[in-house]
Amino acid sequence: MAYAAFRSIGAYVPADILSNDDLSKMVDTTDEWITKRTGIKERRIAAKDQTTSDMGVEAASLAIKRSGIDKEDIDMVICATISPDYFCMPSTATIISNKLGLGNVTAFDISAACTGFVYILSIAKAFIESGMKKNVLIIGAEKLSAITDYSDRGTCILFGDGAGAAMISATDERREAIIDIHTAADGTYADLLMTPNGGSGSIHDSLDQEAGSCFMQMKGNETFKVAVRTLTKDVIDILKENKIQSEDITHFVPHQANYRIIKAVGDALKLKDEQVVMTVAKYGNTSGASIPMAINDIYEQGKLKGGDLMLLDAFGGGLTWGSALVPF
Ligand code: ACO
């Protein structure tokens, strides 16, 4: 049986910075409130004419280059996004694969909000282990600024834009294999985090809506509590099931939503600060892009080395959540 290995990483962040002070001129908030409640100091915002696929292409190009794999050998592209170029079709993955010149590969998007990267990692692993695919390019890309209501202080302070990508490839080496991935969802919490308009569930005519109707809405405080409870249990379970101790984890790379959620889960695992990867201060919450962007950060700082063990965890709209044990 082939194993699935995490072969390479890449990311892209737009140049424009939106700081907490900038936001305090737009809504009733302060740098102090945002920093204390979330840990976010600034986030990146894509240019008006820059799409989710444009950012995905930049991240993917880097991941392909670093993987050493020829483009012709890529046989599947999966994109995790809640801010696709087009809401119904075509998928952002097909646009990315076309811009990259990948030919007639299998390409599709998935919708699992902030857990998107863990979901596409699990899909890539399953396709590779079944022998159906050999090199799967997975991309988390978001232009959340396009679906953020900049008059709602409860959400606009949280989100930013960016993209991350990874190459997942078949290997015979067991020590390189992605060890385990958990994915889960509970639709009873669907109303905690949603874009209520723009689809067939909308109370409005979905084809006749004003711009901005796809804005995100969130019951932040309730989401926070479910996130801490669910993630803590999930990461403890995945370590226990795989007989791995907290001290064996080189890098804990959580979804970057809020430093207080990250700290609560890190503390539950008794992790040291140097094991916890935290990029929320400079990028905010970039949903499906946040984990690969964070992995890319430690890679480019020279902190991620061959043989390191990463523990990923994520939580988002759906509600969805997941975790993964990934050797590099
Ligand atoms: N500035 C100042 N005050 C604010 C702001 C703001 N930006 N936003 C809210 N407040 C006020 C509220 O109105 C409230 O005032 P009140 O007490 O007078 O009613 C008070 O601050 C407390 O509000 P809470 O919502 O209880 O604040 P909380 O401490 O929960 O922090 C936050 C809010 C940061 C949104 C937090 O709940 C959070 O991070 N939630 C989880 C987000 C998350 O993980 N989402 C999942 C992933 S996202 C995805 O899938 C796309």
Side-chain angles (χ1 to χ4, degrees):
M1 185 189 100
Y3 300 110
F6 192 102
R7 192 180 277 266
S8 67
I9 188 73
Y12 170 82
V13 286
D16 276 0
I17 291 173
L18 182 68
S19 69
N20 290 350
D21 286 336
D22 295 333
L23 281 164
S24 69
K25 291 174 195 129
M26 296 158 67
V27 288
D28 183 14
T29 192
T30 59
D31 171 47
E32 193 198 350
W33 192 96
I34 302 170
T35 306
K36 200 165 152 220
R37 298 289 179 119
T38 70
I40 302 168
K41 296 299 285 183
E42 58 188 40
R43 63 290 290 143
R44 301 299 178 100
I45 303 295
K48 214 171 171 51
D49 61 353
Q50 195 173 28
T51 62
T52 295
S53 68
D54 290 335
M55 293 186 280
V57 164
E58 296 290 338
S61 300
L62 208 49
I64 295 170
K65 194 168 149 211
R66 289 172 178 165
S67 72
I69 287 165
D70 289 337
K71 277 187 185 176
E72 305 80 69
D73 294 330
I74 298 170
D75 40 25
M76 184 151 96
V77 178
I78 319 173
C79 182
T81 185
I82 54 167
S83 49
D85 288 16
Y86 304 102
F87 265 105
C88 300
M89 58 184 167
S91 71
T92 305
T94 59
I95 299 170
I96 292 173
S97 54
N98 180 48
K99 286 179 181 171
L100 289 168
L102 298 185
N104 299 332
V105 292
T106 307
F108 59 94
D109 291 356
I110 67 107
S111 169
C114 302
T115 318
F117 190 76
V118 177
Y119 268 62
I120 55 180
L121 187 63
S122 74
I123 297 167
K125 179 176 184 287
F127 268 92
I128 289 169
E129 288 178 351
S130 70
M132 287 176 72
K133 302 288 178 192
K134 287 201 162 37
N135 295 302
V136 182
L137 179 62
I138 60 171
I139 303 147
E142 300 285 10
K143 186 174 181 176
L144 295 181
S145 59
I147 58 167
T148 296
D149 179 356
Y150 285 98
S151 67
D152 173 16
R153 68 177 182 173
T155 53
C156 73
I157 55 150
L158 302 171
F159 300 110
D161 301 336
M167 185 71 78
I168 312 301
S169 297
T171 179
D172 295 329
E173 296 287 341
R174 196 186 177 125
R175 66 188 161 78
E176 292 176 359
I178 294 171
I179 297 168
D180 195 10
I181 305 181
H182 283 181
T183 51
D186 184 349
T188 58
Y189 293 116
D191 68 333
L192 291 190
L193 233 171
M194 65 193 309
T195 51
N197 296 325
S200 65
S202 167
I203 50 165
H204 305 293
D205 177 350
S206 61
L207 296 177
D208 181 24
Q209 291 186 53
E210 291 178 13
S213 57
C214 279
F215 287 157
M216 288 180 281
Q217 293 178 12
M218 180 171 67
K219 294 176 185 161
N221 196 272
E222 286 170 65
T223 307
F224 185 98
K225 288 177 197 152
V226 187
V228 172
R229 193 174 65 237
T230 312
L231 285 175
T232 304
K233 179 177 179 333
D234 201 51
V235 290
I236 289 172
D237 284 352
I238 200 169
L239 290 189
K240 210 186 256 175
E241 284 160 22
N242 292 283
K243 299 186 176 47
I244 288 173
Q245 310 297 318
S246 295
E247 55 269 28
D248 300 330
I249 297 160
T250 333
H251 308 284
F252 171 48
V253 193
H255 166 52
Q256 306 284 317
N258 186 317
Y259 89 97
R260 292 189 289 140
I261 298 176
I262 297 172
K263 177 115 186 45
V265 179
D267 287 352
L269 290 179
K270 299 192 172 56
L271 294 175
K272 297 187 184 121
D273 285 353
E274 57 268 29
Q275 289 171 285
V276 181
V277 180
M278 195 92 84
T279 57
V280 68
K282 56 182 180 177
Y283 301 141
N285 180 346
T286 57
S287 192
S290 92
I291 288 178
M293 284 169 67
I295 296 173
N296 187 68
D297 243 54
I298 52 170
Y299 178 81
E300 292 194 347
Q301 288 167 26
K303 291 182 186 163
L304 181 61
K305 305 210 168 61
D308 285 358
L309 179 61
M310 298 187 282
L311 169 64
L312 318 182
D313 88 3
F315 184 88
L319 294 176
T320 55
W321 63 92
S323 55
L325 282 164
V326 183
F328 185 71

